[in-house]
Amino acid sequence: MDRETNDVLDAVGPRLRALRRDRGITLADLATTTGVSESTLSRLESGQRRATLELLLPLARTYNVPLDDLVGAPRTGDPRIHLKPIRRFGMIFVPLSRRPGGVHAFKMIIPARPEPLEPSPRTHDGFEWLYVLSGRLRLILGERDLTLPAGEAAEFDTSVPHWLGSADGGMVELLILFGLQGMRSHIHADDSPG
């Protein structure tokens, strides 16, 4: 076994212990849930026992995490596969681009609520373009109160007080492009044959 593989396997035990403690689960409870003996789990966490697929699969299922997260496997392939949602203002933002500066792309999810939120418009530097994928978006833009169904788009200067929410309390999904002040989305349609 090469050194990198050994390093990855040596880190599994402490990672499993930290995960169990973060979740507030005892070794006895974990043993009951996974079917792996308490002593085996203890030896696995302390590094006295090497991780095997047979031991890690029930742990991954119990913790509801990908197997790669348990072993700390290095990320491979397209980084867009490993998107990390950001929760802000009661909404979920999934970054779709990672380029510093320039335009940033997000998928935004406004969760369903029994009663829609009260608008609280905000301002900030930049320019925003959005497209509603599903649901009905309520967009407060200055003095305007708009409802955008799926398939509708809007573009606005974010220095204008604005607020995004559900028009009817249902879930809303949208794509957002956000850029610095003065950066606008440009749509170019060329009817000439190419």
Side-chain angles (χ1 to χ4, degrees):
M1 218 178 308
D2 66 13
R3 180 184 165 101
E4 187 177 340
T5 302
N6 272 331
D7 290 346
V8 167
L9 290 174
D10 288 344
V12 170
R15 187 176 289 109
L16 290 174
R17 178 180 290 123
L19 185 58
R20 179 178 58 79
R21 288 180 176 167
D22 285 348
R23 303 268 175 112
I25 301 172
T26 66
L27 278 173
D29 290 340
L30 189 58
T32 302
T33 306
T34 61
V36 177
S37 75
E38 195 173 334
S39 64
T40 298
L41 291 170
S42 177
R43 289 191 322 239
L44 187 60
E45 286 185 2
S46 67
Q48 296 173 354
R49 170 124 190 213
R50 283 284 190 190
T52 65
L53 196 55
E54 291 169 319
L55 294 173
L56 292 177
L57 283 175
L59 290 168
R61 273 193 298 270
T62 298
Y63 291 134
N64 195 27
V65 297
L67 194 56
D68 285 355
D69 287 358
L70 290 184
V71 297
R75 300 288 188 203
T76 58
D78 189 339
R80 291 175 292 183
I81 293 171
H82 307 289
L83 304 174
K84 298 271 186 203
I86 301 163
R87 296 179 191 280
R88 266 192 162 155
F89 312 116
M91 297 177 272
I92 301 164
F93 296 84
V94 181
L96 301 175
S97 63
R98 298 178 188 264
R99 198 176 93 193
V103 176
H104 297 274
F106 296 91
K107 178 177 182 183
M108 180 176 156
I109 301 166
I110 301 170
R113 306 179 74 82
E115 295 195 24
L117 290 174
E118 190 63 35
S120 55
R122 300 174 188 264
T123 63
H124 51 88
D125 288 336
F127 208 85
E128 194 165 302
W129 178 90
L130 60 83
Y131 177 82
V132 181
L133 294 168
S134 66
R136 293 171 44 82
L137 177 71
R138 181 177 181 197
L139 171 61
I140 305 287
L141 189 56
E143 298 297 318
R144 298 172 67 191
D145 191 339
L146 307 165
T147 297
L148 304 175
E152 291 288 320
E155 182 178 31
F156 57 92
D157 184 330
T158 57
S159 66
V160 174
H162 61 282
W163 178 85
L164 306 172
S166 174
D168 55 15
M171 184 177 81
V172 183
E173 291 181 294
L174 51 147
L175 292 177
I176 293 180
L177 295 178
F178 174 77
L180 301 174
Q181 188 62 30
M183 294 183 73
R184 298 182 65 152
S185 298
H186 299 283
I187 298 173
H188 178 72
D190 187 0
D191 293 335
S192 62

